[in-house]
Amino acid sequence: MAEIAIGIDLGTSNSCVSIARGGSVEVLPNAFGESISASVVAFKEDGTVQVGNAAKANVIHDPMSTVSSAKRLIGRFFFSEEVKKAQAICNYKIVEGPNHSVRIQVREEQFSLPEISAMVLREMKSVAEEQLGQEVRKAVITVPAYFNDNQRQATKDAGRIAGLEVLRLLNEPTAAALAYGFGRGLSQRVAVYDLGGGTFDISILEIGRDVFEVLSTCGDTYLGGDDFDDRVIDLLADEFVSQFGINLRGDPYALEKLKLAAENAKKGLSQEDEVEVRIPDIATDGEGNSLTLQRIVTIQEFSSLVMDLIQRSFKVCDEALQQAGLVARDLDGVILVGGPTRLPLVRDSVTQYFQQEPKSDVDPDEVVALGAAIHASSLIGGVEEGDAFLLDVTPLSLRIGVAGGLAETVIERNTPVPIEQARAFTTYQDFQESVQIKVYQGESRKAEDNELLGQFEFGGFKKARRGEVQIDVTFEINSDGLVNVTARDQETGQQATTEIALSSGLSPEEMQKILEASPAERVDPSDAPEEASPVAPPVSEEAALTADDEMILSEPSDEASAAKAKVDPNAETGHDLKVDVEPRDLSEPLLSAETDPTDLDGLEIDDDLFEEASVDLADLASADDLEE
Amino acid sequence: MGHLVATEVRALVGLLDELDYYQLLEIDSTAQGSQVKQAYYSASRRYHPDANRDLEGEISGHVHTISKRITEAYQVLRDPRRRRAYDAMRDEGGAARIQLVDAVARADKQARDQHEGTTPNGRRFFSLAKHDIERGDKDAAIRNVKMAMTFEPKNAHFKAKLAELRGA
């Protein structure tokens, strides 16, 4: 049977699966003929698990055991704002797991977020298998463009748990543009305005005849249709308090009814100027009388409730346009993605902002899955002449932590991927034995304002004075937008100590356990996560001595790559931060010798330029500064 | 696509650190923005991991390395500031490669230096020109900026000042 690969739009609220074959692409509907299924998982009392629209219907009966909007939590740390926000609004129990990860507790059992998302993915996989009448093992899964590395890793883990080989994590707006431009031979600059259930993305793309180049992408992973619902819930709940003195938010059953009513009201306002919300028996008063919530919500009222949210999205659009070096009138088209863009209020605001009508021939619920399927098909077929070819960017700046609580940029946001950059660092103190390497994503110079991707201690240096140890740190972002960091000691035969933080919420050991627990679902071994924190065996003396020095500074030599491959069967997709140690000829010059700004001929050294930097570097001192 | 020849790939990866970005993208050093873009597209179609999923092992790693360098080249050459910094480094016989953040830092420094001049004589004449401007002697100012430019013909700030004086 011919190899097939599906595209899955794993949404906050809804998911959609699609396939491209024989030059056409279609959504695969579920058994009920619905093209989208709710991203909801219900754990029934009898131990069965229900996923999709039926699970969503279950929520009012058993709110504590029905998990929705898991995507808002995936790849987050337990202490993050989003988790606190979710705890306030979700009826299911959100608890802390190992290493600040998030777990969901249903009755006595705890689940990681990748496991929950895997259940949704498995459902989409089986929807596809049912429709296609054959097994599906490969998929492209979409993620919000603004997802950071932790969220991407966790999503990829979810795919693996679901028994899928994840060919690519594709950015949702990029997928949408791909579906929009598919087979049309366009040459356009477009904006994709993607307002989903929980996240907002804006991407500016240049669509050429056969190349789709993302010029910039910006987003807000805290902004989506859920927030619109929350505003309506607040309105209704607050009024109920002032009317009856009863807080509906305290009662899980009432809260679920409120949520559903708010969502329906929002949808109703897409067609009508006003809707009536009526929830009988939502609560009982002190005397045991049944109370009914009744309220008319007008479009004006709704508009004033959510306008600031819509305006917030335009701030992000400003940024994306600026990053792309364009203004709104440079755009040939605007593509709307995500359920909330069906709201006339959103459409009108977008029209006003971009000074043009958005494209009407795109289904905002299906377009992302369609694009994912197109990409999946092109990946298994290899890229053929004339196939659309994607060139995407990294949404967030990649940084390394330096002393003073600061984070220095290594790769700026909106840099195309795949990309690799190297920085040279050295010790700051005499006889310093190790350095702490912390890797962040984000736009702040203050380390704590960024997302910590991982950290490891790198040590085992020879006894040396400050500045004598040279550590090369290589940062790679691959085509999935996943980050790989490698540190190398320049010293021959050094061993490294490594401590690897969780990045996806599941440690490799836990991941292994989950995969072993469901052997039938297991993907082929090449796609399995690698072992924890390997230390590469030192490569041969000869290799180091013969290696070209410039080469080894920025790129591992062939031998070094081979050594790395041994310990990292999945180097391309990289699961956790890795530390490789390899020997290096001491006589080699520092990396910074070539890139040092002081090395401009005939120029005086500008002290001001370095003053700032040298304050930054305590644990890690940039070799540039010490050389100076 | 996907029909890269192994020997070709090995040769290219071996040469990678000697090729400058223009050579890597196979364009002239005067190539304009759209040419840079087209070159990036066609190089990517050839070496991007998506175009080479069928490759394995060592060759796959090499292709990945080349692809990453192509991205780097594009990221430097597409941006006028980074490109100026890179060109200046190349003119001085520097390495074929520049780290992106270094390109930005260099460009910033370049801009600041150029503001006053990067050579003793350039600085001297430019400072004379600024005196002339204060005194309102435009002709003298133009003469002195021109003199400064004989020492620093590529100084963008001098060029801009001259244009401004001539326009005023």
Side-chain angles (χ1 to χ4, degrees):
Chain A
M1 212 174 284
E3 191 181 29
I4 50 167
I6 53 173
I8 302 175
D9 171 8
L10 177 63
T12 307
S13 309
N14 296 293
S15 294
C16 182
V17 59
S18 165
I19 187 142
R21 315 173 274 190
S24 74
V25 56
E26 57 182 320
V27 165
L28 299 168
N30 62 25
F32 305 95
E34 299 150 328
S35 62
I36 57 174
S37 304
S39 305
V40 178
V41 180
F43 296 88
K44 303 290 224 178
E45 217 147 343
D46 61 6
T48 58
V49 178
Q50 206 173 31
V51 184
N53 297 331
K56 188 176 178 184
N58 185 64
V59 70
I60 48 170
H61 305 299
D62 193 0
M64 319 283 274
S65 312
T66 308
V67 182
S68 58
S69 296
K71 190 175 171 181
R72 300 198 96 166
L73 299 171
I74 201 165
R76 306 262 191 197
F77 289 110
F78 187 74
F79 50 75
S80 67
E81 274 309 303
E82 181 66 12
V83 172
K84 287 192 191 104
K85 219 169 119 190
Q87 277 175 316
I89 193 100
C90 291
N91 280 317
Y92 54 86
K93 226 167 159 186
I94 301 167
V95 298
E96 184 166 5
N99 293 301
H100 309 295
S101 66
V102 179
R103 294 284 191 269
I104 287 167
Q105 182 160 351
V106 181
R107 297 190 192 95
E108 298 312 309
E109 224 178 325
Q110 285 193 5
F111 298 93
S112 67
L113 270 303
E115 287 175 279
I116 300 287
S117 289
M119 292 171 193
V120 177
L121 288 171
R122 206 176 280 140
E123 174 72 13
M124 301 321 288
K125 176 177 182 268
S126 70
V127 163
E129 286 172 342
E130 203 126 307
Q131 289 291 325
L132 298 167
Q134 76 177 93
E135 201 194 351
V136 174
R137 297 173 66 85
K138 296 181 176 184
V140 166
I141 299 173
T142 60
V143 289
Y146 213 56
F147 253 20
N148 65 38
D149 183 67
N150 293 338
Q151 293 165 304
R152 285 169 198 265
Q153 294 281 11
T155 305
K156 192 154 188 172
D157 284 350
R160 284 193 196 130
I161 296 168
L164 288 164
E165 181 190 334
V166 183
L167 296 174
R168 169 61 44 86
L169 294 173
L170 182 61
N171 292 327
E172 287 160 11
T174 310
L178 192 53
Y180 164 73
F182 178 60
R184 289 197 194 179
L186 299 174
S187 184
Q188 292 190 344
R189 278 189 188 133
V190 299
V192 180
Y193 181 96
D194 180 358
L195 186 61
T199 57
F200 172 69
D201 280 332
I202 171 85
S203 288
I204 313 288
L205 288 101
E206 187 158 333
I207 303 178
R209 234 188 314 280
D210 52 6
V211 177
F212 286 60
E213 182 191 8
V214 179
L215 299 176
S216 70
T217 193
C218 286
D220 186 337
T221 49
Y222 296 80
L223 176 62
D226 283 3
D227 297 289
F228 288 40
D229 297 355
D230 290 352
R231 295 287 168 88
V232 179
I233 292 169
D234 286 345
L235 172 84
L236 299 175
D238 289 349
E239 276 194 8
F240 204 80
V241 170
S242 58
Q243 214 178 334
F244 300 105
I246 297 172
N247 182 13
L248 296 172
R249 290 193 196 85
D251 172 6
Y253 295 89
L255 182 57
E256 288 306 334
K257 285 181 189 167
L258 261 183
K259 278 192 205 170
L260 225 57
E263 192 189 332
N264 288 334
K266 177 184 73 179
K267 285 181 179 162
L269 289 169
S270 294
Q271 269 117 47
E272 313 288 334
D273 284 346
E274 58 176 54
V275 290
E276 187 186 14
V277 178
R278 194 165 180 280
I279 317 174
D281 301 327
I282 193 161
T284 17
D285 65 12
E287 281 122 50
N289 299 316
S290 156
L291 299 174
T292 296
L293 185 150
Q294 199 161 5
R295 174 74 155 79
I296 287 174
V297 183
T298 66
I299 187 87
Q300 287 83 10
E301 205 173 4
F302 179 67
S303 158
S304 69
L305 285 177
V306 302
M307 208 23 124
D308 67 303
L309 295 172
I310 299 175
Q311 289 306 329
R312 232 168 85 196
S313 79
F314 294 136
K315 276 220 177 99
V316 183
C317 294
D318 286 344
E319 231 178 288
L321 281 167
Q322 192 236 329
Q323 289 265 314
L326 299 174
V327 292
R329 66 166 175 278
D330 294 330
L331 299 171
D332 301 303
V334 177
I335 301 165
L336 295 183
V337 182
T341 64
R342 288 189 187 280
L343 288 169
L345 185 61
V346 173
R347 257 169 203 274
D348 294 347
S349 306
V350 168
T351 305
Q352 211 172 20
Y353 176 85
F354 286 105
Q355 299 290 303
Q356 57 183 296
E357 289 281 341
K359 301 282 173 194
S360 55
D361 50 353
V362 175
D363 183 319
D365 291 321
E366 299 179 355
V367 67
V368 169
L370 295 173
I374 292 165
H375 196 48
S377 134
S378 99
L379 288 179
I380 55 168
V383 174
E384 300 293 328
E385 209 65 58
D387 251 8
F389 193 74
L390 294 186
L391 297 166
D392 218 323
V393 298
T394 181
L396 295 154
S397 298
L398 191 65
R399 295 167 178 272
I400 185 163
V402 291
L406 300 177
E408 259 187 17
T409 311
V410 180
I411 299 174
E412 272 181 69
R413 64 174 169 167
N414 289 316
T415 297
V417 292
I419 185 94
E420 183 177 288
Q421 293 284 284
R423 304 303 287 164
F425 293 96
T426 184
T427 45
Y428 183 71
Q429 288 166 326
D430 292 344
F431 311 120
Q432 188 174 331
E433 286 177 351
S434 67
V435 292
Q436 185 75 19
I437 295 177
K438 290 188 173 186
V439 183
Y440 297 91
Q441 258 180 335
E443 306 314 317
S444 175
R445 249 177 85 64
K446 270 168 75 186
E448 60 176 16
D449 295 343
N450 298 293
E451 186 81 2
L452 178 67
L453 300 186
Q455 54 185 320
F456 54 89
E457 195 171 291
F458 187 63
F461 310 137
K462 62 159 187 180
K463 257 190 175 278
R465 300 232 164 245
R466 71 188 277 261
E468 285 180 5
V469 174
Q470 157 109 32
I471 307 140
D472 281 345
V473 187
T474 306
F475 301 78
E476 185 202 21
I477 306 178
N478 71 16
S479 318
D480 282 325
L482 294 174
V483 177
N484 235 319
V485 177
T486 311
R488 275 188 198 84
D489 189 350
Q490 305 291 9
E491 194 65 28
T492 309
Q494 289 297 310
Q495 286 294 313
T497 50
T498 58
E499 189 123 344
I500 292 172
L502 282 184
S503 64
S504 74
L506 277 179
S507 69
E509 294 82 3
E510 286 175 296
M511 187 70 189
Q512 199 60 40
K513 240 186 259 168
I514 292 166
L515 289 174
E516 276 162 11
S518 50
E521 302 291 348
R522 199 151 172 186
V523 246
D524 70 293
S526 67
D527 199 40
E530 64 267 19
E531 296 301 309
S533 60
V535 172
V539 294
S540 72
E541 196 72 19
E542 200 189 333
L545 292 173
T546 57
D548 176 293
D549 66 342
E550 272 181 39
M551 189 75 179
I552 202 164
L553 283 166
S554 49
E555 309 281 4
S557 65
D558 296 349
E559 289 79 0
S561 307
K564 190 178 169 194
K566 256 183 251 162
V567 296
D568 178 13
N570 199 20
E572 195 208 346
T573 53
H575 181 70
D576 268 314
L577 294 172
K578 279 171 285 295
V579 172
D580 291 1
V581 177
E582 59 192 45
R584 166 104 201 263
D585 187 345
L586 265 180
S587 65
E588 285 168 29
L590 299 182
L591 171 68
S592 52
E594 285 139 31
T595 53
D596 190 340
T598 60
D599 137 50
L600 290 164
D601 276 346
L603 282 185
E604 294 151 18
I605 293 168
D606 184 350
D607 289 332
D608 291 349
L609 187 68
F610 296 108
E611 204 172 69
E612 201 183 28
S614 54
V615 177
D616 297 351
L617 307 160
D619 264 328
L620 274 180
S622 158
D624 294 359
D625 306 309
L626 290 167
E627 225 179 67
E628 183 202 333
Chain B
M1 288 296 147
H3 305 305
L4 291 171
V5 183
T7 48
E8 215 177 298
V9 171
R10 278 197 201 95
L12 182 53
V13 100
L15 276 172
L16 210 51
D17 284 349
E18 283 154 45
L19 295 177
D20 68 31
Y21 294 150
Y22 298 103
Q23 292 166 323
L24 181 65
L25 294 181
E26 297 179 44
I27 47 175
D28 206 78
S29 62
T30 56
Q32 297 301 298
S34 62
Q35 291 163 292
V36 172
K37 193 181 272 278
Q38 285 312 316
Y40 166 60
Y41 285 178
S42 66
S44 293
R45 285 192 73 87
R46 214 166 147 68
Y47 292 104
H48 194 280
D50 282 359
N52 296 287
R53 289 186 76 90
D54 49 337
L55 296 180
E56 284 171 356
E58 182 208 49
I59 291 294
S60 168
H62 284 340
V63 167
H64 213 108
T65 301
I66 296 168
S67 176
K68 289 184 286 192
R69 190 64 65 87
I70 287 166
T71 311
E72 182 182 290
Y74 175 57
Q75 188 67 357
V76 170
L77 299 186
R78 78 200 288 207
D79 175 80
R81 280 174 67 238
R82 281 193 283 258
R83 185 169 173 175
R84 267 199 300 276
Y86 176 70
D87 286 347
M89 188 184 80
R90 231 173 103 254
D91 290 348
E92 293 155 16
R97 182 181 182 200
I98 192 167
Q99 298 293 317
L100 295 170
V101 288
D102 291 332
V104 173
R106 246 182 117 109
D108 286 347
K109 185 165 164 54
Q110 218 174 28
R112 270 190 295 169
D113 289 341
Q114 291 201 343
H115 218 78
E116 298 300 329
T118 55
T119 59
N121 284 329
R123 272 197 293 275
R124 195 158 60 89
F125 283 106
F126 194 67
S127 119
L128 287 173
K130 285 203 285 193
H131 260 284
D132 297 333
I133 294 165
E134 270 168 39
R135 287 188 296 117
D137 188 347
K138 203 170 71 175
D139 290 340
I142 290 176
R143 263 199 311 278
N144 278 319
V145 175
K146 277 184 173 171
M147 279 305 288
M149 283 179 69
T150 60
F151 297 98
E152 296 173 37
K154 286 185 175 172
N155 189 316
H157 183 64
F158 290 1
K159 267 186 217 171
K161 189 51 99 186
L162 185 64
E164 183 192 315
L165 286 166
R166 280 177 167 158

